[in-house]
Amino acid sequence: MGLQMVLADIPTVFVIDDDAGIRASIEGLLKSAGLRSECFERAEEFLQRKPLDTASCLILDVSLPGINGLDFQQQLRNAGLHIPIIFVTGYGDIPMSVKAMKSGAVEFLTKPLKRQALLDAIQQALARDSVRRREQADIDLLQKRYDMLTRRQHQVMGLVVSGLLNKQIASELGTTLITVKLHRAEVMRKMQAGSLAELVRMAEKLRLFRST
């Protein structure tokens, strides 16, 4: 159990490259940098592995047997798998790199890979994933609190964060002022909001405001 907890805290770099020599070289570099790695020959193999609950990134070769790297990047995005990608290629061109970066790639490196450039890109990718995971954890916690609200409290919260006063909310919902005040107090307590401004920020994170 203790070992599993320690391993869960170690960032993991996934490597997908059909060149065994490249995989071994990157794996050695990552080990020397104190990073855990897992290597795959094909993109399809990576999809068979369960996602880790720790910061991670993907070093992805552009040219792969089966689905190529750029198509795989799009496939991951469509599946909602948000892992930072560092592309590597032996024959990259400008249109290819532009396409990769526009789709969210952290870096686009050409082979032979420069040790420091790759390590810098990995650190940037892992930092980006750590931030995303913290933000998602915050949203998940807020969603749990929001789910604890009753249907009426959902309505009250929506009207409160839209800027309506208590008496306006009472009129909107066809209820009494004291009832609105009680519901509002419960919303603040369950959401653990210390102020109206904080409740509004929570609503923004939960995307409760309709886009216009």
Side-chain angles (χ1 to χ4, degrees):
M1 183 67 178
L3 179 59
Q4 290 179 343
M5 291 181 66
V6 170
L7 288 176
D9 292 334
I10 301 175
T12 300
V13 181
F14 297 104
V15 182
I16 306 178
D17 197 304
D18 60 331
D19 187 322
I22 294 291
R23 294 198 304 272
S25 176
I26 294 176
E27 190 173 23
L29 174 61
L30 296 173
K31 186 175 181 180
S32 69
L35 295 170
R36 184 171 58 175
S37 64
E38 291 187 30
C39 298
F40 306 90
E41 184 177 356
R42 301 167 65 98
E44 292 83 356
E45 296 172 2
F46 172 76
L47 291 176
Q48 296 172 6
R49 146 185 246 301
K50 292 179 66 175
L52 289 176
D53 189 22
T54 186
S56 58
C57 69
L58 175 60
I59 298 175
L60 180 61
D61 189 18
V62 173
S63 179
L64 291 168
I67 184 171
N68 67 50
L70 292 174
D71 289 343
F72 187 59
Q73 178 189 33
Q74 192 60 49
Q75 185 175 324
L76 290 175
R77 289 184 64 188
N78 294 341
L81 297 176
H82 304 288
I83 182 170
I85 296 175
I86 300 164
F87 277 105
V88 296
T89 181
Y91 60 91
D93 54 37
I94 292 177
M96 186 185 295
S97 62
V98 169
K99 181 180 179 181
M101 300 301 283
K102 279 187 174 181
S103 295
V106 175
E107 189 58 271
F108 194 96
L109 303 175
T110 54
K111 301 174 183 177
L113 300 172
K114 294 183 174 62
R115 173 190 175 94
Q116 195 56 52
L118 180 57
L119 287 175
D120 289 346
I122 290 170
Q123 292 304 327
Q124 181 183 347
L126 292 176
R128 180 187 294 186
D129 197 48
S130 293
V131 170
R132 182 193 64 80
R133 287 174 179 274
R134 284 196 299 271
E135 291 176 346
Q136 188 59 53
D138 288 344
I139 292 173
D140 291 344
L141 180 58
L142 289 178
Q143 186 64 53
K144 287 181 180 179
R145 294 175 186 170
Y146 185 72
D147 291 343
M148 291 172 59
L149 303 182
T150 65
R151 179 176 174 274
R152 180 61 94 186
Q153 288 164 1
H154 283 157
Q155 293 174 323
V156 170
M157 177 175 171
L159 294 171
V160 166
V161 299
S162 69
L164 295 188
L165 301 174
N166 286 344
K167 61 182 181 180
Q168 294 173 313
I169 296 173
S171 176
E172 179 81 16
L173 298 179
T175 189
T176 64
L177 181 60
I178 187 65
T179 298
V180 170
K181 288 181 178 180
L182 290 172
H183 281 312
R184 181 168 179 159
E186 275 299 284
V187 168
M188 298 296 283
R189 183 185 68 82
K190 290 181 179 179
M191 293 302 295
Q192 299 182 27
S195 66
L196 174 58
E198 188 176 357
L199 188 68
V200 170
R201 286 194 293 271
M202 291 177 177
E204 289 173 342
K205 287 184 177 180
L206 291 171
R207 301 191 178 190
L208 299 184
F209 297 113
R210 293 181 180 177
S211 57
T212 55

